[in-house]
Amino acid sequence: MSLALAPLDVSVEVEANLPCRKFDPDLWFSDSPTQLELAKSLCGDCPLRVECLAGAVERAEPWGVWGGEIFERGAVVPRKRPRGRPRKEDLARDAELRVEAEARLAANGLATSRNAVWLAA
């Protein structure tokens, strides 16, 4: 049984406290790197963060913030880069953030061979 399809005992009261229910849903699907980072931070205290992330990994969500991670073209990305050619220091920071994102996925049990997720460069 997958985590994404596992029945959840969620009351209406808990749903009302979910950040994605309190704030503008467009925030989780923004093109702005700053807004996506805000959405990621709002997911931090969500009681359904792990289930949300597991479901997004399983579905290979094409884009948006799910479970505190940014998805782009079905892969987890450490951060959304602005348009244009990246600076060298941005490339180095992206490599560090990619390692951190891999660690978060592994900590949630999502980096197994069954649920392999490719981190986009």
Side-chain angles (χ1 to χ4, degrees):
M1 177 185 268
S2 70
L3 288 175
L5 301 177
L8 295 174
D9 184 24
V10 180
S11 69
V12 174
E13 184 177 315
V14 170
E15 275 191 38
N17 290 324
L18 300 178
C20 56
R21 304 278 196 237
K22 285 184 184 178
F23 297 94
D24 182 10
D26 290 339
L27 182 64
W28 277 260
F29 299 97
S30 175
D31 285 330
S32 164
T34 305
Q35 288 184 340
L36 291 176
E37 289 301 322
L38 173 60
K40 279 176 57 174
S41 69
L42 292 172
C43 291
D45 295 330
C46 180
L48 298 178
R49 186 181 59 78
V50 173
E51 292 86 356
C52 178
L53 179 59
V57 166
E58 191 168 301
R59 292 185 307 271
E61 282 293 339
W63 63 297
V65 174
W66 297 90
E69 298 292 341
I70 299 173
F71 282 76
E72 191 170 295
R73 287 179 249 127
V76 173
V77 294
R79 73 178 181 96
K80 172 97 173 167
R81 291 196 317 217
R83 294 183 134 176
R85 187 175 185 172
R87 296 179 177 190
K88 289 181 183 178
E89 59 267 13
D90 289 343
L91 292 174
R93 183 175 60 172
D94 284 350
E96 292 173 11
L97 291 172
R98 196 173 309 113
V99 169
E100 288 177 23
E102 288 172 350
R104 285 192 303 270
L105 288 170
N108 289 314
L110 299 174
T112 64
S113 60
R114 183 174 168 262
N115 291 330
V117 174
W118 292 279
L119 294 170

